[in-house]
Amino acid sequence: MKHLLSGMVLCFFSLNLFGQFQFSSLDEKFIIGSDLSGHLRHTSCHSYGNTDFSDFASDLYASTWGEGGSRLHYKRTHTGDANNVIYEGTVAIPNASIIRDVAILRHPDINSPNKYCVAAIHADASSGGSIAVYEWTLTGLNLILNYQFTPNYTYNMSIDAIRSNVAGADAYTVVYESNERLYSFSGMSPIANALGYPLIGNHTELITNGIGGRGRLPDVALTETPSLPNNPSGIKAYYSYIDLDRQLCYVSNYGYDDLVFAGTTTPVNFEHLVNPMTYLFTGSTNCLPGTTLPTFFYSPGPKIDAPDRSDDSWAVIVGQHEFYTTLANNSPNTCTWPMNMNKMMQLQMTAAYKHNSGPVYDIVLNNGSLSGTTDMSTNLTEPFTDYVNQSQPAVAYGPDGNELHFAWGKTKDDPAMNDHDYIGLVYSPGANDIITAPSGEGYRVIDRQADLMPYIPSIAFSGYNDNTMNNLYTIFTSSVDNTSIFPEGVYNKHPEWGSIPSNGYKPLNVSNTDKTNSLTVFALPNPFNHSLMIAVPASLQQDKYEMVIWDLAGRTALRAAGTIPDINRELDKWVKGTVAVDNNYILQLKSQTSRQQAHLKLTRMTQ
């Protein structure tokens, strides 16, 4: 399954617009903020449950993001208790420019049964592609390999891994794009070799089902089937990608064992062509469409997932848009659109899935065709901004492969949705129908805090797998504040599996629908140097709060709890007890009563 042995990453679905809300098991946590070398565009994550470390049985979590401040984050917790963190940290991979994906594997040394490693793929500083492998020790990560798998330019890449029951080891597959061609290699860990690194199989160019056998924006997912001809492991690799014209989206497959020993080129097997979107606008005499961009021109590409074990199942999600760059507005001015203005007519979040060797079904997730949903694909909010189309969606299978979880950046404003960042839904591939909330609604709201929309929404799921975990690992981007200095952050969350189909996920800001009582925090002074205090509105001063301050690298600078005066005393100690250096921080204040939270950018200036 996509993202080896784990719980699923679901950016906390919440039924904010419907029925009773219930808290998820854990609140989201700020990991790091953008260093402003580029916006945060990509997220990925992976989890591996119930690992047999020599000291404690542990659950492992890894995540990556880019472009700005691209890093690898790791976290080890006690098994079944994501709140009980043994340690966590963030590393900058040597020579890495943009880290694109990650998987957790058994340690490559076959004589180290109680050890694990993290494999992260990245575009390196020389524009080639590399895989960095870190040993997961009792105290953190230790780099053991940083292997360049191609010197050619690559940016779009993906990795997936599952446990091979036949081999008794973890199998993985990497796919990457270079010069509008797709390449892939597979490997295994552990494996008997004297060098102490995972097996890395032959590299092969995938001859796709697209134009000229080429493709763009690939993703990969693995599933172990009961049997597969000429592939003793039974593992099948599914690839999703779009064609060179950015007009079509394909799913193809190939056997894992065949990939390990593949030749220079490998023709993949056609699986499915995602149903192309039907265009709405035909124009009129005085309002003619201009240049139509390809359906996937802005798309970050499709995302695909598969269960660890299945009778041949997979699911894919991808956004399609109908977009016109200019308008021919003839005189008299009767066109309802402003002249010379870009216009997006519709943005459909489309999906396709196959369940246990059955037929392939195409569905549209956001056009109101599914039970309990409304149309959020047309009449989009103007003016058009391209971050909506660049939103990275997510898909992941739930327990036993009987539930699908989809999520995407909100495609339009809706009075019922308020200011939430992401929309999602839960779907039953066996029943070919949506799993609605208790009160009948289909959409699930995924949010961190109202009013703060990320520049480019990006969400990642780590799906269910054989090493059962009681929570779903979720990684997503969100705005930190309303300024242009430090606008973006990466967050993670661990909702419980059992809450997904019935209750959804509660946004932490429980008063999103009543903004008159929303939590606001002020810092005095800001910028600060030798003194600092915070204040909240008079109606909220009697509450008790939890406060955390992070620096730009995601390190915790201060934690405090209690009343506002209690917290201000801790702030005063912190300011007077630390060396004054110019720096930026993020302050999070959370009410212990309402669970609302607010964020504030702090700037320390010594001059």
Side-chain angles (χ1 to χ4, degrees):
M1 132 168 236
K2 180 77 177 163
H3 302 315
L4 177 66
L5 319 171
S6 92
M8 164 185 124
V9 176
L10 194 66
C11 277
F12 52 52
F13 282 137
S14 148
L15 303 187
N16 179 17
L17 46 150
F18 5 99
Q20 289 298 109
F21 302 149
Q22 295 189 11
F23 284 110
S24 302
S25 58
L26 294 172
D27 297 331
E28 74 273 10
K29 180 181 178 183
F30 174 81
I31 298 177
I32 200 168
S34 168
D35 66 1
L36 301 185
S37 64
H39 286 290
L40 296 170
R41 294 175 178 268
H42 313 287
T43 52
S44 73
C45 59
H46 194 260
S47 52
Y48 200 129
N50 198 26
T51 60
D52 50 350
F53 273 72
S54 59
D55 55 355
F56 304 110
S58 308
D59 292 339
L60 306 180
Y61 304 92
S63 56
T64 71
W65 54 85
E67 299 169 348
S70 191
R71 296 289 188 273
L72 167 64
H73 177 257
Y74 59 94
K75 177 165 59 176
R76 180 182 171 213
T77 71
H78 289 275
T79 292
D81 188 359
N83 245 338
N84 196 350
V85 177
I86 300 172
Y87 60 75
E88 65 179 313
T90 301
V91 297
I93 298 176
N95 201 43
S97 174
I98 307 294
I99 308 170
R100 292 304 305 268
D101 207 352
V102 64
I104 303 172
L105 307 167
R106 287 274 181 175
H107 193 282
D109 183 359
I110 200 169
N111 298 313
S112 301
N114 297 332
K115 290 185 178 181
Y116 299 84
C117 67
V118 179
I121 54 175
H122 61 88
D124 56 43
S126 63
S127 298
S130 298
I131 181 169
V133 180
Y134 284 83
E135 178 184 355
W136 206 309
T137 72
L138 296 180
T139 57
L141 297 187
N142 178 43
L143 182 64
I144 58 177
L145 175 70
N146 201 357
Y147 167 70
Q148 186 180 65
F149 53 77
T150 179
N152 299 323
Y153 174 81
T154 183
Y155 178 84
N156 300 307
M157 60 188 81
S158 176
I159 185 173
D160 191 26
I162 64 173
R163 180 73 174 173
S164 170
N165 287 332
V166 173
D170 293 340
Y172 72 90
T173 295
V174 171
V175 62
Y176 63 95
E177 173 191 344
S178 182
N179 297 319
E180 299 178 341
R181 299 178 184 273
L182 302 187
Y183 299 84
S184 188
F185 63 91
S186 293
M188 188 165 286
S189 184
I191 193 72
N193 72 57
L195 300 178
Y197 56 75
L199 168 69
I200 299 175
N202 293 342
H203 290 237
T204 185
E205 178 185 350
L206 302 179
I207 307 303
T208 74
N209 304 122
I211 298 172
R214 300 160 80 177
R216 301 172 183 263
L217 304 170
D219 195 22
V220 63
L222 301 180
T223 188
E224 185 178 87
T225 63
S227 64
L228 188 63
N230 302 318
N231 287 263
S233 71
I235 297 175
K236 183 181 285 189
Y238 283 107
Y239 299 99
S240 61
Y241 53 92
I242 63 174
D243 68 352
L244 291 189
D245 289 346
R246 304 187 184 187
Q247 197 68 47
L248 300 173
C249 177
Y250 290 91
V251 177
S252 303
N253 72 73
Y254 205 71
Y256 165 85
D257 304 65
D258 289 336
L259 281 169
V260 173
F261 302 104
T264 306
T265 60
T266 299
V268 293
N269 304 308
F270 174 80
E271 181 77 21
H272 184 63
L273 174 64
V274 175
N275 193 29
M277 177 184 65
T278 300
Y279 279 40
L280 294 176
F281 184 68
T282 57
S284 63
T285 301
N286 294 315
C287 190
L288 302 177
T291 303
T292 306
L293 292 181
T295 306
F296 301 104
F297 184 83
Y298 285 105
S299 173
K303 304 302 287 187
I304 193 167
D305 192 24
D308 279 12
R309 321 286 164 214
S310 77
D311 290 327
D312 204 8
S313 300
W314 55 264
V316 66
I317 181 175
V318 64
Q320 302 189 51
H321 70 274
E322 178 183 359
F323 178 74
Y324 300 96
T325 56
T326 57
L327 298 172
N329 196 339
N330 298 332
S331 180
N333 187 357
T334 59
C335 186
T336 57
W337 302 341
M339 290 183 63
N340 302 319
M341 180 178 178
N342 296 340
K343 175 66 178 182
M344 184 165 62
M345 286 296 298
Q346 60 176 326
L347 174 55
Q348 286 190 359
M349 299 309 301
T350 53
Y353 64 92
K354 182 169 75 171
H355 183 62
N356 288 339
S357 299
V360 177
Y361 291 91
D362 285 276
I363 53 177
V364 181
L365 304 174
N366 69 331
N367 70 347
S369 60
L370 300 178
S371 303
T373 65
T374 58
D375 180 19
M376 298 189 72
S377 66
T378 58
N379 299 316
L380 303 175
T381 306
E382 299 293 347
F384 168 75
T385 51
D386 64 6
Y387 70 83
V388 176
N389 266 329
Q390 296 180 47
S391 169
Q392 175 188 296
V395 58
Y397 276 86
D400 304 320
N402 293 323
E403 293 173 2
L404 275 170
H405 302 267
F406 297 102
W408 59 91
K410 184 181 68 172
T411 48
K412 69 179 289 186
D413 289 334
D414 186 289
M417 296 289 184
N418 295 301
D419 294 311
H420 301 291
D421 296 341
Y422 302 91
I423 305 297
L425 56 81
V426 186
Y427 195 88
S428 170
N432 299 319
D433 198 7
I434 194 172
I435 299 175
T436 59
S439 50
E441 293 83 353
Y443 290 135
R444 311 294 178 102
V445 175
I446 302 168
D447 194 16
R448 180 186 74 83
Q449 184 172 341
D451 301 322
L452 297 180
M453 178 175 284
Y455 180 78
I456 297 176
S458 180
I459 179 171
F461 290 169
S462 179
Y464 183 89
N465 54 47
D466 284 350
N467 280 20
T468 304
M469 303 174 73
N470 66 348
N471 70 85
L472 316 173
Y473 192 41
T474 304
I475 296 293
F476 58 98
T477 61
S478 185
S479 293
V480 174
D481 60 23
N482 290 315
T483 73
S484 61
I485 299 176
F486 187 57
E488 298 164 275
V490 182
Y491 294 77
N492 65 11
K493 189 176 178 67
H494 299 264
E496 293 181 354
W497 272 112
S499 300
I500 298 168
S502 59
N503 298 321
Y505 303 91
K506 183 178 181 62
L508 195 55
N509 185 350
V510 297
S511 296
N512 282 340
T513 57
D514 182 10
K515 297 177 185 178
T516 59
N517 292 322
S518 60
L519 177 60
T520 304
V521 60
F522 306 92
L524 304 170
N526 193 17
F528 72 96
N529 187 8
H530 301 298
S531 64
L532 177 65
M533 62 180 295
I534 61 172
V536 297
S539 61
L540 303 175
Q541 287 180 359
Q542 302 307 311
D543 284 357
K544 290 188 176 181
Y545 298 90
E546 300 167 2
M547 185 205 70
V548 186
I549 295 177
W550 296 282
D551 64 14
L552 298 191
R555 296 182 294 256
T556 301
L558 177 66
R559 290 183 181 271
T563 64
I564 294 300
D566 292 336
I567 292 174
N568 280 332
R569 281 190 285 272
E570 295 302 314
L571 280 171
D572 188 64
K573 293 178 184 177
W574 175 63
V575 170
K576 291 180 168 57
T578 56
V579 178
V581 294
D582 292 346
N583 206 348
N584 288 318
Y585 301 90
I586 293 298
L587 181 149
Q588 174 186 279
L589 187 70
K590 183 187 303 180
S591 169
Q592 296 180 358
T593 302
S594 69
R595 307 305 294 172
Q596 286 183 275
Q597 68 172 4
H599 288 79
L600 183 68
K601 179 177 67 68
L602 301 175
T603 299
R604 188 164 194 173
M605 299 180 63
T606 57
Q607 298 295 329

